[in-house]
Amino acid sequence: MLFGLIDKNKSLLKKYSKIANKINELEESVKSLSDTELSGKTLEFKNRLKQGESLDDILPEAFAVVREASRRTVGMRHFDVQLMGGIALHEGKITEMKTGEGKTLVATLPIYLNALTGKNVHLATHNDYLAKRDANWMGPVYEYLGLSVGYIQANMDKEDRKKAYQADITYGTANEFGFDYLRDNLVYENTDKVQRGHYFTIVDEADSILIDEARTPLIISGPSDTPSELYRRFASLAKRFIVEKDYTIDEKQKTLALTEEGISKAEKLLSVDNLYDPSNIKYLFHLLNALKAINFFKRDKDYIVRDGEVVIVDEFTGRLLAGRRYSEGLHQAIEAKEGVKIKEESVTFATITFQNYFRMYEKLSGMTGTAKTEEDEFKAIYNTEVVVIPTNEPVIREDKNDLIFKTQKEKYQSIIDEIEKRNQKGQPVLVGTTSIENSEIISELLKKRGIKHEVLNAKYHEREAEIIAHAGEKNAVTIATNMAGRGTDIKLGEGVKELGGLFVLGTERHESRRIDNQLIGRSGRQGDPGESRFIISFEDDVLRLFGGDRMKNMMTALKIEEGQPIEHKMLSKVIRDAQKKIEGIHFSIRKRLYEFDSVMDKQRSVIYNHRDWILEQGNYDDHIKEIFTDVVERIVESSWDEVEEKYNKSSISEKLKQYLIISDIKGNTREEIEDEIFDLLWKRYQYKKEEFGEDFNKVAKFVMLRIIDEKWRHHLDSIEALKEAVGLRSYGQKDPVMEFKKESYILFDQMVDSIYDEIVNYLMRIAKVVPEKEEREAKRIYASLNFVHNNVSAVDESNDNGRSKSKNITKPSNKIKKRYKVKR
């Protein structure tokens, strides 16, 4: 199997190498073009595409033109391996390219080529800083060739966003692209949308965004009405519960459960007879959240408290996620624990995972320093292959075995000694940590030794570029969280090569091997010398939770003295196995999220396509007729009397009263009764239209959109509850995914019926109002929304289903009921 994979990679590289040779053959002739002739190539390429040539046909010339434009504008010429990386990205593949190989420059090639179609081209980065930096850095190349470039930032207003998306090429974070898609499907006017489709995207640091962060869906939420006192009450109560006595925890899965003793204690403290009574379920929910806040969310690791606010720290990058909040009341529970002001709980309005957002693009590609180990997941979920591109210069960095200590105290002592030794000879040191807390512990220890250093973590991210610019200079000591392992390039100062290059010192193994590899990859770029080593202890989280006791006992049995480390390949294997276990848990969470959200994706597509259809219409008469027909059929069907074997006309008359229609039904056959009811509804509808005059269609549009949005919001709440419920069914030998699929469609059908009923009810009762009032109310709700990239928990594992790449899953017709039919 592995032999086949290696062969496949080799054959792809052989193909790309031949294309690179063609590009090289064109170099001299392209060099001889004047600035006007070179920039004029863009119009020539666009015309050739209109005449039937494909992007592949013009690729060698287009790449040669970009290479020359880059040389003239930013002074950088693409290497052959960079050309090969560009070809792989154009083909919709994930390219693995080592740190320092110039991925930012590589991206210019396929971006330019695909932007020639006139369709939108996006580059998704990890953070706002990189989006702005790369757009400004590479912008001159595109602008020289006559293409426009824009970038998205987190707090950008709607007009600036729209302008950025109107550009040929748009840089932005994965979060902002996803949120803009969700926001676009909450607007009340087509002109308020900012995106213009999903054609081609390159995801930078693809493994981090498409795999690590795939566990955390994007959520747009609005305020709820749960009082903040309730959170404070439960934060206080939770402190009285004792772990293992009143509740048990599973650190690996991040779940907890009350014991019988804990349930009794809770019932006594809350003065309720049965904690699991449906009317008391909110108390259980708040208590479990308060206990989670205490046990699983640590200050200065998972979040920091700044200016009286709880700010989440991204576990993969170490960055602050300002404005992001944990959902389902968890953020409020943490606020209550920390004693800061509690912001109102949020209710979900729209949600999507990165997995389903990025699968919407016609062509998805990505680039990262570490991807091959996850090829199966890339292929299964995104239908993308991984290509490993060789380095321009051979890697000569020396990666040493881990040094493992019994305790953290011994580990920190060794780390400081090692930093001091390197610092005295002038060698720059990059110290990698897994949390803000650890970075600050090491910083304090270095201060005591009088060693000058810089700290790069989410608290000081504003100085990131400045700190990184000097991290490779003589005597530099830089302590960094995972953020230094992404999108940054440490260049060596004068005389540093002779000292052995940059020394990377890892202070803890991360849960993901890829993140460790990213840190190691900071050293030894472009053939530079370098060295890496991890100094760790059995008390570190990864080893403590997964196999640390076994090794600690081994050290005790071998009578290893205090301060004496172990360095052995066998131990490195145990560590790798521990990381694989954690990666396996995370994969099962991602797989479950993907399976559930794929079911939801079909429903979401139907709702969003329906909203788009409403936004585009000027007259809703045909639309309303279809809704009336459906409602009438259900009224008549539900009034059939099995005993009398006829329709209960008095029951029908009673039901019509809710629509303010008073009438005795005269017809006898089903068809006669349905026609009679329809005529009564239609007559009242026409009366309402005349009463409103030309304002009616505008009001009807806002009414229908608000009803759809409100019902969809409640549907999302029901779906969250269903996810929790189906997880338990695996104990009854049932597949949770199949159960979820079946029941979510029942809920969806009920929601659709409810939408129709509500629309008819509203249209029959609607009173003459100023249409702007409806519009203002709709937009007021929209304006109060929050944007969350939150953590989720998984239910049990099952087989992976639905692996094909989805594109515009549902193309509904204008017939309303047909519009809501979801393929099952």
Side-chain angles (χ1 to χ4, degrees):
M1 177 68 184
L2 184 63
F3 180 73
L5 284 173
I6 293 168
D7 265 3
K8 177 122 197 219
N9 200 74
K10 273 186 178 173
S11 65
L12 280 169
L13 293 180
K14 197 173 177 184
K15 181 180 97 171
Y16 297 161
S17 184
K18 283 180 183 173
I19 300 170
N21 288 337
K22 282 184 190 174
I23 299 163
N24 289 333
E25 286 165 14
L26 295 165
E27 188 165 16
E28 288 308 313
S29 63
V30 171
K31 261 187 182 178
S32 67
L33 297 174
S34 68
D35 285 351
T36 308
E37 288 170 330
L38 187 62
S39 59
K41 281 285 181 182
T42 298
L43 190 57
E44 180 199 312
F45 291 146
K46 285 183 174 181
N47 288 332
R48 283 166 60 182
L49 288 172
K50 282 177 191 168
Q51 287 160 18
E53 284 191 62
S54 70
L55 290 176
D56 289 346
D57 293 334
I58 64 170
L59 184 148
E61 284 176 79
F63 277 27
V65 163
V66 175
R67 178 196 256 179
E68 181 57 21
S70 171
R71 194 181 66 79
R72 292 186 193 185
T73 55
V74 295
M76 298 165 81
R77 177 190 173 276
H78 300 75
F79 300 129
D80 284 8
V81 289
Q82 289 175 315
L83 298 176
M84 291 160 71
I87 298 162
L89 289 170
H90 164 65
E91 289 187 351
K93 295 194 166 51
I94 305 293
T95 60
E96 179 175 296
M97 298 183 76
K98 298 300 174 200
T99 302
E101 291 298 300
K103 292 189 278 290
T104 309
L105 186 64
V106 170
T108 58
L109 299 160
I111 283 176
Y112 171 77
L113 178 65
N114 284 272
L116 293 171
T117 60
K119 296 177 185 176
N120 53 339
V121 173
H122 297 166
L123 189 139
T125 65
H126 223 287
N127 58 63
D128 279 348
Y129 162 73
L130 291 174
K132 186 177 179 179
R133 183 201 74 176
D134 293 354
N136 288 331
W137 189 12
M138 295 296 131
V141 180
Y142 307 122
E143 285 159 2
Y144 175 89
L145 293 170
L147 296 180
S148 54
V149 188
Y151 61 84
I152 307 294
Q153 298 282 279
N155 297 314
M156 199 174 254
D157 66 41
K158 191 167 67 186
E159 287 312 307
D160 287 339
R161 271 177 198 277
K162 203 167 185 178
K163 195 176 168 188
Y165 281 112
Q166 289 305 313
D168 296 302
I169 299 146
T170 311
Y171 284 73
T173 65
N175 275 359
E176 288 305 312
F177 284 132
F179 282 134
D180 283 336
Y181 167 71
L182 293 177
R183 277 187 284 244
D184 277 356
N185 285 288
L186 287 168
V187 300
Y188 286 82
E189 295 289 356
N190 252 334
T191 51
D192 288 336
K193 289 193 171 192
V194 295
Q195 289 190 340
R196 56 184 185 98
H198 300 86
Y199 170 57
F200 175 60
T201 187
I202 297 174
V203 179
D204 195 10
E205 305 301 348
D207 61 318
S208 178
I209 291 170
L210 297 179
I211 290 184
D212 293 331
E213 294 194 28
R215 288 191 296 156
T216 57
L218 300 169
I219 293 175
I220 290 185
S221 57
S224 171
D225 51 5
T226 306
S228 56
E229 284 68 33
L230 205 57
Y231 295 107
R232 288 202 184 89
R233 183 185 174 195
F234 279 92
S236 175
L237 285 177
K239 290 174 187 171
R240 299 167 71 172
F241 283 72
I242 302 159
V243 69
E244 298 305 334
K245 182 169 180 270
D246 298 321
Y247 63 98
T248 57
I249 63 172
D250 183 338
E251 280 192 77
K252 296 175 189 177
Q253 300 281 2
K254 288 201 172 177
T255 56
L256 50 81
L258 292 176
T259 61
E260 288 295 328
E261 203 170 338
I263 292 166
S264 299
K265 183 187 265 192
E267 288 168 346
K268 191 176 176 184
L269 290 170
L270 295 166
S271 303
V272 298
D273 295 330
N274 179 6
L275 187 61
Y276 286 83
D277 185 289
S279 60
N280 296 327
I281 204 75
K282 66 177 178 184
Y283 295 138
L284 176 64
F285 165 80
H286 282 295
L287 178 58
L288 292 176
N289 259 358
L291 291 170
K292 282 178 188 174
I294 291 170
N295 288 279
F296 300 139
F297 295 87
K298 306 296 181 193
R299 186 169 177 164
D300 284 342
K301 182 173 184 282
D302 302 294
Y303 63 89
I304 66 166
V305 177
R306 186 177 69 179
D307 301 329
E309 283 190 31
V310 170
V311 185
I312 299 171
V313 175
D314 188 315
E315 68 170 304
F316 297 107
T317 66
R319 294 178 185 279
L320 291 182
L321 298 176
R324 307 281 189 257
R325 293 174 67 80
Y326 297 114
S327 68
E328 295 168 27
L330 190 54
H331 207 97
Q332 287 77 8
I334 296 169
E335 287 169 332
K337 179 184 90 168
E338 292 293 345
V340 299
K341 186 187 175 190
I342 296 169
K343 291 189 179 176
E344 56 199 357
E345 190 184 345
S346 53
V347 177
T348 301
F349 277 72
T351 177
I352 195 169
T353 59
F354 277 155
Q355 293 161 326
N356 275 310
Y357 173 72
F358 282 107
R359 280 164 20 118
M360 287 195 302
Y361 284 88
E362 288 180 45
K363 187 158 62 174
L364 164 67
S365 63
M367 50 191 189
T368 179
T370 43
K372 194 67 180 175
T373 53
E374 310 301 329
E375 179 162 32
D376 288 347
E377 192 166 346
F378 278 123
K379 202 147 181 48
I381 290 174
Y382 302 102
N383 200 25
T384 56
E385 290 179 287
V386 173
V387 181
V388 181
I389 305 293
T391 54
N392 189 47
E393 299 284 348
V395 177
I396 59 169
R397 182 188 61 244
E398 191 182 347
D399 300 325
K400 297 196 167 175
N401 283 333
D402 294 3
L403 286 186
I404 309 168
F405 289 88
K406 203 169 179 179
T407 66
Q408 284 196 344
K409 185 185 169 189
E410 297 167 68
K411 175 185 89 167
Y412 284 125
Q413 180 68 43
S414 175
I415 286 166
I416 304 304
D417 290 344
E418 187 68 38
I419 294 169
E420 188 171 42
K421 184 179 86 177
R422 304 282 176 163
N423 185 246
Q424 281 171 354
K425 74 169 188 172
Q427 186 177 14
V429 182
L430 175 67
V431 185
T433 66
T434 57
S435 70
I436 295 171
E437 183 185 22
N438 286 349
S439 69
E440 293 183 345
I441 288 171
I442 292 166
S443 176
E444 285 303 314
L445 291 170
L446 287 176
K447 280 176 190 171
K448 285 177 184 173
R449 293 269 185 109
I451 298 170
K452 193 181 170 190
H453 62 279
E454 291 279 10
V455 178
L456 175 57
N457 63 32
K459 286 186 177 178
Y460 312 107
H461 68 94
E462 296 88 354
R463 295 185 55 234
E464 176 176 353
E466 181 196 337
I467 293 170
I468 287 296
H470 299 293
E473 293 178 0
K474 270 188 181 178
N475 296 108
V477 176
T478 310
I479 304 167
T481 50
N482 302 325
M483 64 195 298
R486 294 281 178 188
T488 51
D489 198 5
I490 299 172
K491 293 181 171 64
L492 300 185
E494 201 175 322
V496 169
K497 284 185 183 179
E498 291 72 23
L499 297 170
L502 178 68
F503 176 58
V504 169
L505 176 54
T507 62
E508 196 171 334
R509 283 288 180 181
H510 194 272
E511 290 180 349
S512 166
R513 289 169 293 167
R514 290 192 318 279
I515 301 213
D516 288 343
N517 292 339
Q518 283 281 349
L519 175 66
I520 292 165
R522 297 295 102 202
S523 175
R525 59 176 290 284
Q526 285 291 336
D528 286 343
E531 193 181 335
S532 76
R533 169 163 255 160
F534 279 78
I535 299 178
I536 58 179
S537 86
F538 294 124
E539 291 178 347
D540 295 348
D541 285 350
V542 170
L543 292 181
R544 183 174 60 80
L545 293 172
F546 297 89
D549 288 341
R550 186 155 53 102
M551 291 196 286
K552 204 170 182 179
N553 294 338
M554 199 188 302
M555 280 189 94
T556 307
L558 293 169
K559 294 186 170 58
I560 303 293
E561 293 176 19
E562 189 176 330
Q564 189 69 33
I566 292 184
E567 177 187 357
H568 199 283
K569 282 182 180 178
M570 184 188 75
L571 291 177
S572 297
K573 182 184 180 299
V574 174
I575 292 162
R576 279 198 305 275
D577 289 347
Q579 289 175 311
K580 281 179 187 174
K581 277 182 192 174
I582 302 170
E583 286 168 5
I585 289 169
H586 288 173
F587 176 62
S588 70
I589 292 169
R590 290 191 297 268
K591 192 172 77 166
R592 175 50 36 82
L593 182 68
Y594 165 66
E595 289 166 338
F596 281 171
D597 198 57
S598 292
V599 175
M600 283 304 297
D601 197 47
K602 294 175 185 179
Q603 297 181 10
R604 180 170 42 240
S605 296
V606 169
I607 288 289
Y608 287 176
N609 285 338
H610 182 202
R611 278 188 107 265
D612 284 344
W613 184 84
I614 289 172
L615 286 170
E616 288 160 11
Q617 303 308 305
N619 185 305
Y620 298 101
D621 283 2
D622 290 344
H623 187 86
I624 301 299
K625 276 180 185 173
E626 289 155 0
I627 293 175
F628 282 1
T629 301
D630 180 79
V631 170
V632 168
E633 284 173 358
R634 282 187 288 113
I635 288 172
V636 174
E637 196 174 319
S638 66
S639 65
W640 176 254
D641 188 322
E642 294 280 354
V643 179
E644 298 282 330
E645 290 194 341
K646 64 179 183 179
Y647 292 101
N648 186 334
K649 294 181 187 180
S650 60
S651 167
I652 293 172
S653 294
E654 276 300 310
K655 285 174 185 172
L656 288 177
K657 284 179 185 175
Q658 68 176 305
Y659 302 125
L660 303 184
I661 292 172
I662 313 294
S663 177
D664 292 327
I665 302 300
K666 299 177 181 63
N668 291 307
T669 67
R670 176 167 183 155
E671 193 175 341
E672 286 171 351
I673 295 169
E674 285 180 355
D675 287 347
E676 191 176 339
I677 299 170
F678 183 91
D679 289 342
L680 289 165
L681 289 172
W682 192 249
K683 190 176 177 183
R684 184 164 178 82
Y685 171 72
Q686 292 293 80
Y687 165 73
K688 286 291 177 186
K689 269 192 84 174
E690 285 168 26
E691 185 186 0
F692 274 76
E694 60 184 27
D695 287 338
F696 183 80
N697 279 324
K698 193 172 185 183
V699 172
K701 177 177 81 170
F702 283 113
V703 164
M704 287 191 285
L705 289 175
R706 278 184 62 192
I707 289 169
I708 290 166
D709 291 346
E710 183 70 11
K711 297 294 182 184
W712 176 243
R713 179 170 73 74
H714 287 300
H715 180 65
L716 291 176
D717 284 345
S718 303
I719 288 296
E720 283 307 309
L722 179 62
K723 282 180 188 174
E724 296 293 326
V726 296
L728 302 172
R729 297 188 193 173
S730 56
Y731 296 116
Q733 305 303 307
K734 290 183 177 178
D735 178 1
V737 174
M738 292 311 293
E739 292 289 299
F740 177 75
K741 201 171 185 178
K742 185 171 65 183
E743 295 200 24
S744 70
Y745 284 129
I746 293 168
L747 287 174
F748 187 77
D749 285 344
Q750 288 169 351
M751 179 197 68
V752 174
D753 288 347
S754 173
I755 287 172
Y756 298 159
D757 292 342
E758 193 80 11
I759 288 172
V760 175
N761 203 352
Y762 209 108
L763 290 176
M764 296 296 102
R765 292 170 173 271
I766 196 168
K768 179 86 168 104
V769 292
V770 182
E772 282 70 25
K773 187 182 174 188
E774 277 296 329
E775 188 173 351
R776 270 201 310 275
E777 176 59 16
K779 291 186 175 179
R780 182 193 67 75
I781 295 168
Y782 176 78
S784 68
L785 301 179
N786 305 309
F787 312 102
V788 185
H789 188 180
N790 81 297
N791 285 309
V792 290
S793 59
V795 275
D796 298 315
E797 294 180 37
S798 79
N799 297 324
D800 187 15
N801 296 323
R803 294 187 164 188
S804 63
K805 191 169 181 177
S806 71
K807 299 231 182 78
N808 301 326
I809 296 163
T810 313
K811 291 275 191 186
S813 74
N814 286 349
K815 294 287 182 188
I816 182 86
K817 255 307 193 193
K818 285 182 184 173
R819 173 176 297 281
Y820 276 116
K821 288 294 177 194
V822 180
K823 292 174 187 174
R824 309 201 172 183

